[in-house]
Structures are given as C-alpha cells and as structure tokens.
Amino acid sequence: MADATIFDRLKQDHDAHRQLFAKMAEAEREKDEDRLEKLFEQFTVEVSAHAAAEEESLYATMLAQPDLREDAQHSVSEHKEIDDYLEELADLKFNGEAWRKKFAEMKKRYLHHIDEEEEEMFPDAAKALSAAEEERLGKLFARRKPAELERAQAED
C-alpha cells in the first residue's frame, strides 16, 4: 500500500474497526468476557491512534481550506465525542449493564461517524485535493499512525 491515498488508508482502518466490532459481538454472544475486554482495549488504542493521525494529516489540510473547513470541524467534534464515550466507559464496570448501554451508544455514534466520512466528507475532500496531495497525505498518515499507536498504548 505504498502509494495508497489518504482515503484508502482511512477506509482500511474503518474496515478494521468494523471487524473489531463484529469480533466483540461474537465474544459477547459466546460469553467470552476476557476476549471481549482484549478486543475492546484493542479498539480503544486503535481508534485513538487513527483519530489523532487523521486529524494531523487530512483534517489539518482540510481546516486550511475554506470550502472544507466546516466538514473537518464537524469530524473533529465527533472524534471528541467518541473520546468522551471511551473515557466514560473506562469509569464503568467493564461489561456491566451501564457499560453495555454506553458501549452501544458509542458504537452507534462511531459507525455513524465513519459512514458519514466515507459517504460525504471523503468525496467532498477528494474533489478539492489533487491526486498528489491525496498520496502525500496517505504517506503522512502512514508515518503518524505508528507513533500515535505507541502513544495510545502507553496511555492504556
């Protein structure tokens, strides 16, 4: 994926997050709380790193362009909302009733967020960015994400 665009890389991450949700649902059905907890921890680290790298690459570029600024600001606020959910979940008894309810809310909001990005924001941004810019941002994201993963794992 050496010459992947920013949109390719972000969509790949979104698909991985959807797969983590599916695995968590499977662990829940199988009453495998240890697996569920590990998958949730993986999701938390992964989504935190993804959001930070996305903000440092695509959103930073979009914020500098008046036609894209509003979309970027909206998505940044949704990242903050997901982060707030994750903080609330950390304060609840894992997999207890309140945790499951809050997790379901967070999952719904996150899936809405990534669907909105893929269906609305990415196509709008693609119209304003050159192919070279999309590739450059893809490379920037690919460099930033490992550092953000390291940071997120250290916080976990």
Side-chain angles (χ1 to χ4, degrees):
M1 195 175 246
D3 60 350
T5 70
I6 185 66
F7 306 115
D8 296 330
R9 290 183 187 282
L10 296 173
K11 174 80 167 69
Q12 182 181 34
D13 273 10
H14 292 171
D15 289 344
H17 300 162
R18 289 181 181 103
Q19 288 176 347
L20 283 170
F21 280 135
K23 289 177 183 178
M24 283 185 264
E26 181 182 289
E28 181 70 28
R29 280 191 306 277
E30 294 173 356
K31 308 273 190 251
D32 188 343
E33 194 161 321
D34 288 341
R35 180 170 178 240
L36 177 62
E37 189 168 14
K38 284 183 178 69
L39 289 166
F40 177 70
E41 288 170 4
Q42 181 183 349
F43 173 81
T44 299
V45 166
E46 179 65 33
V47 81
S48 296
H50 168 89
E54 183 176 39
E55 289 175 14
E56 294 168 14
S57 56
L58 180 61
Y59 292 175
T61 300
M62 290 176 66
L63 287 167
Q65 298 189 21
D67 292 348
L68 300 176
R69 187 172 297 135
E70 190 175 323
D71 281 346
Q73 289 169 333
H74 175 75
S75 286
V76 168
S77 72
E78 287 186 344
H79 282 186
K80 172 71 171 111
E81 181 183 12
I82 299 303
D83 193 47
D84 290 346
Y85 272 112
L86 293 173
E87 285 182 21
E88 289 177 47
L89 285 162
D91 291 338
L92 297 172
K93 180 185 179 299
F94 179 78
N95 206 26
E97 188 176 331
W99 186 94
R100 285 192 301 273
K101 184 175 187 245
K102 187 63 65 179
F103 175 79
E105 290 172 19
M106 183 276 302
K107 178 181 175 182
K108 181 179 178 182
R109 290 297 300 139
Y110 184 71
L111 291 173
H112 164 80
H113 168 71
I114 62 177
D115 288 345
E116 188 175 59
E117 280 187 332
E118 291 172 5
E119 294 166 13
E120 298 172 25
M121 190 183 82
F122 292 176
D124 289 348
K127 290 175 194 168
L129 300 173
S130 68
E133 185 75 353
E134 288 179 32
E135 191 173 324
R136 183 189 71 76
L137 292 173
K139 289 176 182 171
L140 175 59
F141 179 84
R143 282 194 312 272
R144 290 301 313 145
K145 186 161 175 218
E148 293 300 334
L149 275 170
E150 196 173 296
R151 182 196 52 75
Q153 287 167 335
E155 290 177 2
D156 192 35

